[in-house]
Amino acid sequence: MTESPNLKDASVIVAVDDDRRVAVLSSASAGHGELFLPGGRRDPGEMPEQCARRELREEAGVTAGRWRHLGTYAITLGSSARVSLYLAEDLTLGHQELNETEEDFKLSWWPLDEAVTAAAEGRFLLPAGPLALLLAERSIKTNELPRSAR
């Protein structure tokens, strides 16, 4: 297999508010799916969580007080590019900071279970979003159980 020169390391974020709603983006210019989570490619010298924090702030206008790393995965076979997935909680809402290629991004807030259902129905544009949603849902449920029930 050959290395794909266009693939770069990225981060994807599941931002969950106090009402268990998830920041979900959509774009009129999206081709194959209609939904995606905040995220994007890492800038040179940027660490995965730094990328996640920047992308969440830019694309959703959100900052988070609590971060959980959900895992890092290969983007595709034959590439060294990785995508790091995060759960962001304790959110503060602000304004989106969209660039020219993102100016039609529409932010909406979905109940976590509805976002997971949409992922299972194939409504997400990129595969990292559904994986991040499933891992975030599992992480949230695990942490909500009383210690004696684990």
Side-chain angles (χ1 to χ4, degrees), residues 8 10 12 33 35 47 53 57-58 72 79 86 88 95 99 102 106 108 115 123 130 141 145 150:
K8 296 183 179 177
V12 171
L35 306 172
M47 298 305 294
R53 288 175 182 271
R57 185 187 72 251
E58 291 174 356
T72 299
S79 172
Y86 291 91
H95 298 286
N99 64 38
E102 303 166 337
K106 181 182 175 200
S108 57
R123 295 177 57 197
K141 283 182 179 177
L145 291 175
R150 290 186 191 171

Side-chain angles (χ1 to χ4, degrees), residues 14-17 20-22 68 70 87-89 112 133-145 150:
V14 179
V16 179
D17 70 9
R20 290 185 58 149
R21 295 178 305 158
V22 178
R68 284 191 246 176
L70 299 171
L87 171 60
E89 298 172 295
L112 178 59
L133 283 166
L134 292 171
L135 292 170
E137 180 184 50
R138 181 178 181 201
S139 179
I140 290 168
K141 283 182 179 177
T142 300
N143 282 344
E144 286 181 352
L145 291 175
R150 290 186 191 171

Side-chain angles (χ1 to χ4, degrees), residues 111-125:
L112 178 59
D113 61 335
E114 289 181 24
V116 170
T117 297
E121 293 171 349
R123 295 177 57 197
F124 276 76
L125 177 63

